[in-house]
Amino acid sequence: MLGRTANGLNWMFRYIERAENGARLIDAGLRMSLTRSEATEGDWDGVLQSAGVRELYDEVHETLTSSDAIDFLLRDHANPSSVMSCIDAGRHNARMVRTALTRETWEATNECWIEMKAMLAKKVRATDLPEIIETIKRCAGLIRGAFHGTMLRNEIFNFSRIGTFIERADNTARILDVKYYVLLPAVAAVGSSMDNVQWESILRSVSAHRAYGWVYDAELRPANIADFLISNGRMPRSLAYCYEKIVSNLGYLAREYGETHAAHATAEQTLTSLRSRSITDIMDQGLHEYLEEFISHNNRLGQEISDGYRFN
């Protein structure tokens, strides 16, 4: 496959996943702020930090407010990772590889862009935010559904899936990290009822609350929740599940092209680490430090895939 086509497919699905993930990050921040008895504008500092756009926000805004932070994450084109920026970029990449996509996949992508363009044309009111977040998740789900239901299982499918799961792993790590930032000013809250409610909010923001109950009998324990979202290979947004899919799709590409690259070794090493390390070891290292390291390795993998398959 031509590098340009592979690149377009990889980034189309990275951007669509990133758009949904941005909505989930906002949802996590919103849920967390609502659990605090005295919510402050500073609660959104952690969300911006976890999204990796805190410095960029300061370049655009003089002060931090929840309204401006949400708008920056949702629809500000000064933020290349905002939901609207990602949907624009996803559609742009889809247009570039239009002939490699089925009609259903293209139409779902284009309809998502049209709907979001209308909904995010102006600043979103706080009362409308839950509906907006659900609409973004629904649109992304429709694109994935059209893609899964109609696309040939070939290298096009593999590059697209790799892009999806690199982004999804990044997002799960960042949403877990929001918990760290929100609780920084209140270490005394660890283990309290508020702490438990915030961990529950993390599960809900990644659509994992019910699934967690099936595995752990609904008892909310921070170590179990972290284990579920990091190491449980049956949970479709966990880090382990994402890397199982990345390794699998890279394996298909290796057989298709008859060669492997640095990305294959990096992905396999990361998966081995996710399977072998216990949640106790991770907590002992420090959850924040572990997640920072994981995000760095995940970013490196994306670059190695780009280099190995000559995307540039």
Side-chain angles (χ1 to χ4, degrees), residues 135-157:
T135 301
I136 294 165
K137 290 192 286 186
R138 175 178 57 79
C139 285
L142 287 172
I143 294 169
R144 279 197 302 271
F147 181 76
H148 274 265
T150 62
M151 290 295 295
L152 193 66
R153 268 42 176 182
N154 57 9
E155 70 270 28
I156 290 174
F157 187 83

Side-chain angles (χ1 to χ4, degrees), residues 91-157:
R91 179 177 179 269
H92 173 72
N93 278 276
R95 286 184 65 187
M96 287 198 312
V97 296
R98 174 68 185 86
T99 57
L101 298 172
T102 59
R103 176 176 58 84
E104 291 84 355
T105 304
W106 163 249
E107 287 181 354
T109 305
N110 197 45
E111 287 167 9
C112 172
W113 177 78
I114 292 169
E115 186 170 5
M116 288 297 99
K117 217 37 172 168
M119 292 189 80
L120 300 179
K122 58 184 179 181
K123 203 166 187 176
V124 175
R125 293 179 300 181
T127 53
D128 295 332
L129 192 56
E131 180 186 355
I132 296 285
I133 289 171
E134 289 305 311
T135 301
I136 294 165
K137 290 192 286 186
R138 175 178 57 79
C139 285
L142 287 172
I143 294 169
R144 279 197 302 271
F147 181 76
H148 274 265
T150 62
M151 290 295 295
L152 193 66
R153 268 42 176 182
N154 57 9
E155 70 270 28
I156 290 174
F157 187 83

Side-chain angles (χ1 to χ4, degrees), residues 215-248:
V215 176
Y216 295 101
D217 298 323
E219 186 176 0
L220 294 175
R221 292 183 177 177
N224 286 348
I225 294 171
D227 182 61
F228 191 54
L229 297 181
I230 292 172
S231 306
N232 193 305
R234 296 176 295 171
M235 197 278 154
R237 302 196 77 87
S238 75
L239 306 187
Y241 181 89
C242 291
Y243 265 78
E244 285 173 4
K245 296 302 179 183
I246 290 169
V247 168
S248 173

Side-chain angles (χ1 to χ4, degrees), residues 156-270:
I156 290 174
F157 187 83
N158 300 139
F159 279 118
S160 302
R161 296 295 281 164
I162 289 167
T164 294
F165 286 110
I166 286 176
E167 283 297 323
R168 186 172 296 180
D170 179 86
N171 174 68
T172 297
R174 290 182 187 277
I175 284 182
L176 272 170
D177 213 29
V178 168
K179 181 71 170 72
Y180 164 84
Y181 278 110
V182 168
L183 280 186
L184 265 182
V187 176
V190 173
S192 68
S193 59
M194 182 185 76
D195 184 43
N196 291 333
V197 170
Q198 289 183 334
W199 278 107
E200 180 181 354
S201 296
I202 290 292
L203 287 173
R204 291 189 183 280
S205 67
V206 293
S207 302
H209 185 259
R210 181 169 294 182
Y212 174 87
W214 292 333
V215 176
Y216 295 101
D217 298 323
E219 186 176 0
L220 294 175
R221 292 183 177 177
N224 286 348
I225 294 171
D227 182 61
F228 191 54
L229 297 181
I230 292 172
S231 306
N232 193 305
R234 296 176 295 171
M235 197 278 154
R237 302 196 77 87
S238 75
L239 306 187
Y241 181 89
C242 291
Y243 265 78
E244 285 173 4
K245 296 302 179 183
I246 290 169
V247 168
S248 173
N249 282 278
L250 282 171
Y252 288 128
L253 290 176
R255 289 191 289 275
E256 178 74 22
Y257 292 107
E259 60 184 20
T260 60
H261 303 286
H264 292 79
T266 298
E268 288 169 1
Q269 288 165 7
T270 303

Side-chain angles (χ1 to χ4, degrees), residues 73-89:
L73 292 166
L74 198 58
R75 55 184 291 275
D76 196 333
H77 281 284
N79 174 14
S81 294
S82 73
V83 171
M84 196 65 238
S85 293
C86 289
I87 290 173
D88 278 340

